[in-house]
Amino acid sequence: EAQVTQNPRYLITVTGKKLTVTCSQNMNHEYMSWYRQDPGLGLRQIYYSMNVEVTDKGDVPEGYKVSRKEKRNFPLILESPSPNQTSLYFCASSLGPSGPESRYFGPGTRLLVL
Amino acid sequence: AQSVTQLGSHVSVSEGALVLLRCNYSSSVPPYLFWYVQYPNQGLQLLLKYTSAATLVKGINGFEAEFKKSETSFHLTKPSAHMSDAAEYFCAVSNLGQNFVFGPGTRLSVLP
């Protein structure tokens, strides 16, 4: 089954404690991206990757890091989480960054930073 | 730059009534348009998309949308709402060479 998986689904942590949210896709997609969803703000893109070893900032990259060492994986790293990073996070993948290709989304990771 | 507006952050309809969720876009080149649905505690899933073939697009769960270039609109409709349609709906626009842009979303409530 074609899918995007994320782990963990729920995470509670404290300010400053480094964490990683994993994302994996099994569709051989070149493009992957991370979004955060906040009430009233919709979906905002954090980082994206056009291919292995190629990443770039989205609209709200501050406080986040990513890496793309393998085509299927695109982890999101919070080196020193702060309460304003409490949010719902989605990983997505697609064949390309734009055009008619649909984005496929993971189930989401709900993060609470105390 | 392209953009999407969705009129109404929250729409309520009675079960069995028509669902109409509005989406207007701005794009300098022919767009590709998408509707996604997000059920509670789930990720987004594709409902339907317009890719310059037929202007009336049918999707899953009885939804359809019509691309109207003159109105720069891509409204989502369903003739008869079901309780299971309660969710958040996102319109998105894309075109070659530019990123995917999501609208702010519309939360649909279905009243018994």
Side-chain angles (χ1 to χ4, degrees):
Chain A
E1 179 192 353
Q3 60 181 350
V4 178
T5 56
Q6 293 178 232
N7 282 292
R9 293 289 312 278
Y10 303 92
L11 181 58
I12 301 174
T13 189
V14 295
T15 298
K17 186 175 181 182
K18 180 179 178 180
L19 66 90
T20 299
V21 184
T22 64
C23 172
S24 183
Q25 51 94 3
N26 63 1
M27 295 167 279
N28 202 35
H29 285 165
E30 293 192 346
Y31 184 88
M32 297 185 75
S33 60
W34 277 101
Y35 293 86
R36 61 178 289 174
Q37 183 181 23
D38 302 288
L41 297 176
L43 287 156
R44 294 180 293 169
Q45 192 176 53
I46 302 170
Y47 267 94
Y48 63 92
S49 170
M50 301 283 273
N51 212 328
V52 175
E53 302 292 1
V54 181
T55 64
D56 209 344
K57 296 176 181 179
D59 300 317
V60 287
E62 293 77 21
Y64 304 95
K65 282 177 55 178
V66 293
S67 70
R68 188 94 181 271
K69 293 184 171 59
E70 304 167 284
K71 196 172 189 178
R72 63 183 292 125
N73 296 324
F74 190 46
L76 179 69
I77 303 156
L78 284 71
E79 294 268 1
S80 182
S82 62
N84 65 12
Q85 293 179 297
T86 292
S87 187
L88 178 58
Y89 292 87
F90 289 102
C91 181
S93 75
S94 58
L95 280 171
S98 60
E101 304 302 332
S102 308
R103 295 263 159 107
Y104 293 82
F105 285 82
T109 295
R110 191 169 292 278
L111 172 65
L112 172 61
V113 183
L114 301 173
Chain B
Q2 49 195 3
S3 64
V4 177
T5 56
Q6 292 182 241
L7 187 62
S9 59
H10 186 201
V11 171
S12 292
V13 300
S14 298
E15 192 172 19
L18 171 73
V19 175
L20 170 61
L21 303 182
R22 300 179 187 274
C23 171
N24 287 87
Y25 69 91
S26 169
S27 178
S28 58
V29 296
Y32 302 103
L33 294 156
F34 305 77
W35 274 102
Y36 282 83
V37 61
Q38 183 183 23
Y39 297 107
N41 298 314
Q42 294 186 29
L44 281 73
Q45 60 179 272
L46 183 68
L47 263 182
L48 50 81
K49 67 178 180 181
Y50 166 75
T51 58
S52 75
T55 56
L56 182 62
V57 182
K58 294 187 185 300
I60 61 172
N61 302 336
F63 283 93
E64 61 182 39
E66 186 172 9
F67 171 66
K68 292 187 177 180
K69 184 178 178 181
S70 60
E71 299 177 8
T72 61
S73 69
F74 190 56
H75 301 331
L76 182 71
T77 60
K78 182 174 180 177
S80 176
H82 192 272
M83 298 295 288
S84 61
D85 294 327
E88 186 140 21
Y89 293 79
F90 292 91
C91 183
V93 64
S94 179
N95 53 51
L96 293 174
Q98 295 193 38
N99 209 348
F100 224 82
V101 175
F102 285 93
T106 297
R107 184 159 59 91
L108 175 66
S109 297
V110 182
L111 309 173

